[in-house]
Amino acid sequence: EFGLPVEFPEEVLREARAAVEAFDESDGQGRRDLSAETIVTIDPVDARDFDDAISLDELDDGGWRLGVHIADVSHFVPRDGPLDCEAQRRGTSVYLPGQVIPMLPEVISNGLASLQQGHRRYAMSVLVEFSPQGVPRNTEFFRSVICVTRRLAYQQVSEILADPDHFRGRVAAPVRSLLARMQVLSRILRKRRFDAGALELQLPEAKVELDREGRVESIRDVVHDESHQVIEE
């Protein structure tokens, strides 16, 4: 109805394929190698792309070092090239029930620039150091190579946080420990926000379920629990 572009021009696809062929997982390109760190993605169970990931260490003095890692899409998009111009024309990816119209071809958006579990991927990382009370005291930005340890969905995270021992043997101990640390820090940060007068708006979110023909099958409320709050904080 609104003329959203679905197909990509051939020259755009050609440049995307060239980026795929040129990518070497083992080449760090002068980036800081964080591939040995315990890093997770947490998204809705039906997420199609994974562009942000989290790491978190507790420091000797009781403080924290939070890592936020965002897929480095720009590495694969030469300035003013066909990919860049097409992305500017589209402006954004469009998320519809049961469908995504991506800003970049899927070999990049769902491939090289998707932080897939077990694959070395290029990222832009920020390390934020917090005091034990959750006060930021240092920030560092850099290009990195990461390897996501575990892809998780919100519901999984909620269940693990509620009963971590139940997941022994199914979820590695470093991942369970990471989630526990994330929960502690998120509560500290949340308390600081509300102590400073932050507002909490309880706005419902609806999830539209489609059948195989693309017709609306049901509409349900999205559960917004502590796993969402952990990531938001």
Side-chain angles (χ1 to χ4, degrees), residues 214-232:
R215 295 175 299 208
V216 176
E217 196 171 56
S218 65
I219 300 176
R220 58 178 175 81
D221 286 336
V222 174
V223 177
H224 191 275
D225 56 22
E226 191 167 16
S227 66
H228 293 77
Q229 294 171 11
V230 166
I231 288 298
E232 287 168 1

Side-chain angles (χ1 to χ4, degrees), residues 7 38-39 53 80 92 99 120 147 151 181 217 228-229:
E7 302 299 327
T38 300
I39 297 176
D80 297 328
T92 182
Q99 182 186 8
R120 286 167 59 90
C147 182
R151 169 192 165 188
R181 292 193 297 273
E217 196 171 56
H228 293 77
Q229 294 171 11

